[in-house]
Amino acid sequence: MMFSKHKNPWRLLATASALLGVPAAAMADWGLNLTRGVTPYSETVYDLHMLILGVCVVIGVVVFGLIFYSIFAFRKSNGAKPAQWHESTKVEVLWTLVPFLILIGMAVPATHALIMMENTGGSDMTIKVTGYQWKWHYQYVDEGINYFSTLANDSNVARQLDSGVDPKSVPNYLLEVDNHLVVPVGKKIRFLTTAGDVIHAWWVPALGWKRDAIPGYINESWAQIKEPGTYRGQCAELCGKDHGFMPIVVDALSEQDYAAWVAKMKSATQHAEASTAPVAAVAEK
Amino acid sequence: MSQAAAHHEHEHHDHHPSGITRWLTTTNHKDIGSMYLIFSLIMFFIGGAMAMVIRAELFQPGLQFVDPQFFNSMTTMHALVMIFGAVMPAWTGFANWMIPMMIGAPDMALPRLNNWSFWILPFAFTLLLSTVFMPGGGPAGGWTMYPPLVLQTGAAFPFLIFAVHFMGASSIAGAINIIATVFNMRAPGMTLMKLPLFVWTWIITAFLLIASIPVLAGAVTMLLTDKFFGTAFFSAAGGGDPVMFQHIFWFFGHPEVYILILPAFGIVSAIIPTFARKPLFGYSSMVYASAAIAFLSFIVWAHHMFTVGMPLAGELFFMYTTVLIAVPTGVKVFNWVATMWQSSMTFETPMLFAIAFVILFTIGGFSGLMLGVTPVDFQYHDTYFVVAHFHYVLVTGAVYALMAGTYFWLPKWTGHMYDEGLGKLHFWMSTISVNVLFFPQHFLGLAGMPRRIPDYSVQFADFNMISSLGGFVFGLSQLLFVVVIVKCVKGGAKATDQVWDGAHGLEWTLPSPPPYHSFNTPPAPETIEGGMR
Ligand SMILES: [Cu+2]
């Protein structure tokens, strides 16, 4: 119910656009609004976004309404005679105080949301995210798993200048990577973000936030994903030539599936270590 | 010698060098004002051409025209050229032309400095624009020049830094001149609270410039020494701090935002009462609101960088101060609306641009308010929502006010009326296309498209195509602006002194075009009183 209530204004907008000649069917997958996301924080942020947007729309309708009314009612061609009043302390105080009170009304929930965001305590697991030009490195601090994640090859081929490949033919064009970040649902995950060269920003809209990855800094944030699924995002801080080509893909798995994935990764890592050790020894000779 | 003395009387009025020497050596506020405005118009088209490259590449997914590095240099240069080359010099041009005429002075207080502050600019921008042809290309780390990325710039790097230094020196000289002029050259009887709002907003702007530009100069100088002299101000590995650059940069950068928009408030406050034939509502509250905005602009800077990970207390402080700016800004908008209420309006081109300014700037203000709320900014930050926001306040805000002001004073400057039909066509083409260009970018940002990317996932294709089409039409529409200006300079119906029947203020008591030295004798106090509305 809540969901459909929120969606209505957008459907209205879609209808309005349809009247303007934009096919409504296309409108459905266009994505007009912020995502509700899949974490407690992202939902709070979504509600806050809708609240402020609503306040702005109401004020906008009133102010623009007054302007358009003036344009039609007080035009010289209609014989309007100009009044000469140009001051009113009462009105000035009123339109200073009322916006101030509205702002306080917005600041209270915003403050709560921010306190919630910054509370990274009590986490169940920690993942360290490091940005590089132009890939991400993920380190599962407690599990000893770590790997790089780079743009998927088919996207990389298609995105070259004059590649001749139609981006529409590439599944999840520019939003696919070779190695997904795999996380369990329902656990409070603490993310530590940093960078190895320049500043990047790690952003998955469905989680509700982005955080800069800065060399020399370790930033803390958290997420607790509710539903299993695949969530996609991108680097959000200009980091050089291929800034647009270092996406993020998060696979949220059920606890059992996650445990199975961890076990698989660990054995693969041990296997790889066992097999690379002799090779390294040979290479040294 | 005696010949020179004999000439002396004449020199003041009609003897000045002709040809290029006139423009190189001029100390006249109108000549310098014209040069600033022409320079700004050229930069507007150079920056606009870069925007066309950007929109062409973003027209559809995939890379069709330019490689990512060049794309990044286009976004970087577009911003630098538009901010420092188009909008700021345009405001100085308006100040040069209008402030002496508005306060009853013959010229600016420091005419030689005035000449110098203009002529620095062509050199600064030749340096900056030449970097596009250097090995490694132009600067591509964003106009915000964040280290460590900006330190990866190739041969262009020192040219970028010195160009910024030059632009800053020019701005500071211009600001000093304006302050000196307003404080020393006002006609007797022109008290501070009788100044036209354009003069008021410019004094406040000038103080913002003097306080903030040296901070930028310091920041880029530290970048320079980090790159070439082994310092580590912004390098974590050397004990420095990359985030400190962002704090310093935005301590300049936020006042800079108001440097770009405050004179616009002044122009709109002159135009709306003129065509509404009604005095401006709340003159003194306009002055106080401008001062309040200027003060707040120094304590909100970190809202540009909420995602760097500040302590909770810092995030809360910057959120509260940021949203507080909505109060004085709201007062201004309400005052303009109250001025229109029970007035008698006509809708010549300057008025159309001014009304569009009020509405579209307010839309940019709303998105600004949304961006100021920290927990939601974590989603909006560095997306196309931000791009939409600052283009609403800068294009349909600052640039619209510049166009409104140009149409408003063009008859005064040239002595001819401009072509009203073409002016209105320019207005409607611009206003429709600019919204097609920037409004969909709100949706793109909310749907998750980061800014400063040359290529995007296919879900963003439709809105990008619409936005690009709007961009091409907006770009082409600006050629009409040039046509109107050129036509008006060359000829047209003779403009009266007052030009607009609702116009009040000292500049309208002078002939159109005004004499070489605006007020050789100060205007009578009654004239000043008559100009007060
Ligand atoms: Cu990056």
Side-chain angles (χ1 to χ4, degrees), chain A residues 154-167 170 173, chain B residues 62-64 455:
Chain A
D154 51 353
S155 284
N156 196 35
V157 169
R159 67 103 175 169
Q160 302 300 323
L161 189 58
D162 295 320
S163 66
V165 182
D166 179 9
V170 179
Y173 177 60
Chain B
L63 290 177
Q64 290 83 27
D455 192 7

Side-chain angles (χ1 to χ4, degrees), chain A residues 132 134 136 199-201 235-239 243 246:
Chain A
Y132 293 95
W134 293 273
W136 294 101
I199 302 174
H200 304 262
C235 175
E237 174 66 48
L238 179 61
C239 58
H243 161 57
M246 47 183 291

Side-chain angles (χ1 to χ4, degrees), chain B residues 149-423:
Chain B
L149 181 62
V150 74
L151 300 172
Q152 297 180 351
T153 309
F157 183 79
F159 293 88
L160 167 70
I161 302 299
F162 285 128
V164 171
H165 278 148
F166 280 143
M167 296 166 203
S170 163
S171 296
I172 291 172
I176 289 172
N177 207 348
I178 285 160
I179 291 173
T181 306
V182 176
F183 284 124
N184 297 301
M185 308 275 287
R186 296 196 312 278
M190 180 58 90
T191 57
L192 285 178
M193 287 311 270
K194 284 181 185 167
L195 287 176
L197 269 168
F198 179 68
V199 181
W200 254 118
T201 50
W202 235 118
I203 309 176
I204 294 168
T205 303
F207 279 107
L208 290 182
L209 279 166
I210 289 178
S212 68
I213 296 279
V215 179
L216 173 68
V220 298
T221 307
M222 285 192 270
L223 287 179
L224 191 78
T225 63
D226 268 14
K227 172 101 172 168
F228 294 114
F229 303 109
T231 58
F233 291 114
F234 307 128
S235 153
D241 181 350
V243 176
M244 183 173 74
F245 176 86
Q246 299 187 22
H247 282 290
I248 301 172
F249 180 86
W250 287 113
F251 187 83
F252 144 80
H254 202 79
E256 171 69 19
V257 171
Y258 293 100
I259 288 166
L260 298 171
I261 201 68
L262 277 173
F265 294 161
I267 284 191
V268 169
S269 302
I271 291 173
I272 290 180
T274 300
F275 295 95
R277 294 166 182 77
K278 180 161 166 270
L280 180 71
F281 186 86
Y283 170 89
S284 42
S285 75
M286 285 295 211
V287 174
Y288 301 140
S290 304
I293 290 172
F295 169 73
L296 286 172
S297 77
F298 282 106
I299 54 167
V300 298
W301 75 87
H303 68 213
H304 294 272
M305 41 187 283
F306 279 140
T307 60
V308 298
M310 274 174 279
L312 178 63
E315 288 176 338
L316 288 174
F317 172 81
F318 286 108
M319 171 168 75
Y320 297 149
T321 52
T322 300
V323 297
L324 206 55
I325 294 187
V327 174
T329 314
V331 166
K332 284 182 165 289
V333 173
F334 298 140
N335 281 349
W336 290 319
V337 178
T339 306
M340 290 189 245
W341 197 255
Q342 291 184 354
S343 68
S344 174
M345 282 188 274
T346 51
F347 302 94
E348 289 85 348
T349 312
M351 184 62 161
L352 290 176
F353 273 105
I355 293 174
F357 169 94
V358 176
I359 294 171
L360 299 174
F361 174 79
T362 303
I363 292 177
F366 286 144
S367 53
L369 178 69
M370 295 169 78
L371 284 158
V373 179
T374 319
V376 221
D377 179 73
F378 290 151
Q379 286 280 37
Y380 305 144
H381 180 76
D382 264 340
T383 68
Y384 259 81
F385 192 77
V386 182
V387 178
H389 158 70
F390 63 68
H391 282 99
Y392 263 87
V393 291
L394 281 177
V395 179
T396 56
V399 173
Y400 261 44
L402 284 166
M403 287 171 176
T406 306
Y407 284 108
F408 188 47
W409 284 308
L410 204 52
K412 171 59 61 186
W413 296 339
T414 61
H416 306 132
M417 296 306 288
Y418 61 85
D419 186 327
E420 189 65 54
L422 275 183

